[in-house]
Amino acid sequence: MRDASSHLPNVATDHERRVASVTFWSFEIDQAIADLRDLTNPDKAPARYLPFLAYEASVDFWDEEWLEDVKRKAINLSYTIHRFKGTVHAIETALSIISVEVKLVEWWQPGGSGVPGTFEMTAYPSGQVYSSHDYLSARLQKRIWDAVNLAKPLSRHFTFKLGIKAVTKLTVGMAISDLHRTRIMPPLTTKLENEMPLGIGAASSSGERIQIRPWHPEAIKSVGPYWAAAMIRPLRSSIYIYPRQT
């Protein structure tokens, strides 16, 4: 430790120098205490101290290959697991450490085995626990087994299976436009082959329409799915002028 009394002027008394030295020591001691407080906090402690905190918190199951966030979560939830150990809540909390959702059915519930003292569960891995994305790996299954076996009542027996949940997003959109459009068509070719959806529709319109078309091509071929559609068109006038084939 440095002596803060050295920063005092030469005219300072011995008492002032002793007070300055003790004050500086007190500041360093406070800083050391603050650092120790962070070392016992699972959210702030350096990663190399997490195994010691896990031992102090009596974490039931642990894997050094877990991601750092998973290790901190295991330490934080250890108290809750020990408090409710032997209940469904404890099992769900233990599995949440390794990002596993669970559907648990006890023997007396609808769909249960009917055998007293048993329960069935389906585990759905939903997050990344290891650096590699191995949701159905053998080591993850081992950790699921450990988590349930250490949180359930000792008199209960269980079976479990793995499941996968897939979540997709469905978007429905609508567009409204009001415009005038003019098309200039190129000459038609003698043969036209295209693979595209074929629509079968119905339209109802009123008004006047004039079309000037060249001769039809010799062959038109279209391949693709088809669907049915309907459209009601308001009163309007349309004029289509197609260029002559060259």
Side-chain angles (χ1 to χ4, degrees):
M1 297 182 182
R2 293 177 296 174
D3 190 355
S5 63
S6 60
H7 298 286
L8 296 177
N10 296 329
V11 295
T13 63
D14 292 340
H15 176 71
E16 291 174 340
R17 295 182 183 279
R18 294 190 183 96
V19 171
S21 300
V22 172
T23 302
F24 191 82
W25 293 344
S26 176
F27 173 77
E28 288 195 350
I29 291 174
D30 291 341
Q31 286 295 111
I33 293 175
D35 294 340
L36 290 174
R37 191 178 299 117
D38 290 340
L39 289 178
T40 58
N41 186 344
D43 296 325
K44 296 182 179 180
R48 64 180 182 273
Y49 293 114
L50 293 179
F52 304 102
L53 295 182
Y55 178 81
E56 181 184 22
S58 298
V59 176
D60 288 334
F61 63 105
W62 185 264
D63 194 334
E64 287 295 337
E65 296 182 1
W66 281 346
L67 297 176
E68 182 178 323
D69 293 341
V70 179
K71 295 178 180 179
R72 297 183 189 276
K73 189 176 182 180
I75 299 172
N76 285 323
L77 294 179
S78 180
Y79 173 77
T80 303
I81 295 173
H82 284 286
R83 180 182 179 186
F84 296 99
K85 181 168 288 190
T87 65
V88 176
H89 178 64
I91 296 175
E92 293 175 344
T93 303
L95 290 176
S96 68
I97 295 175
I98 51 179
S99 300
V100 173
E101 300 178 8
V102 59
K103 179 182 179 182
L104 191 147
V105 181
E106 300 197 51
W107 66 272
W108 49 268
Q109 293 179 321
S113 64
V115 180
T118 63
F119 64 90
E120 299 175 352
M121 53 168 285
T122 304
Y124 300 96
S126 59
Q128 185 176 0
V129 180
Y130 299 95
S131 57
S132 58
H133 295 272
D134 48 355
Y135 294 106
L136 302 178
S137 64
R139 60 178 176 178
L140 180 59
Q141 296 182 40
K142 178 64 168 58
R143 293 294 169 252
I144 294 175
W145 181 273
D146 292 341
V148 178
N149 199 43
L150 295 171
K152 72 176 183 64
L154 293 177
S155 59
R156 296 291 188 269
H157 302 280
F158 71 97
T159 58
F160 87 94
K161 55 185 177 181
L162 290 177
I164 297 178
K165 284 185 177 181
V167 180
T168 59
K169 183 184 294 185
L170 177 62
T171 303
V172 179
M174 181 180 66
I176 300 175
S177 63
D178 182 12
L179 54 84
H180 296 279
R181 182 171 57 184
T182 302
R183 292 181 178 180
I184 301 176
M185 308 294 291
L188 297 177
T189 59
T190 57
K191 291 186 178 182
L192 177 62
E193 294 186 4
N194 186 23
E195 294 186 1
M196 60 180 294
L198 175 62
I200 300 177
S204 174
S205 62
S206 60
E208 181 180 357
R209 184 172 61 181
I210 301 174
Q211 295 185 356
I212 303 176
R213 296 178 177 270
W215 54 78
H216 295 286
E218 296 179 358
I220 297 179
K221 180 182 178 181
S222 180
V223 180
Y226 66 91
W227 62 86
M231 177 181 66
I232 299 177
R233 180 178 297 175
L235 177 63
R236 70 174 190 174
S237 298
S238 300
I239 299 177
Y240 297 88
I241 300 177
Y242 296 88
R244 179 181 179 84
Q245 181 185 14
T246 59

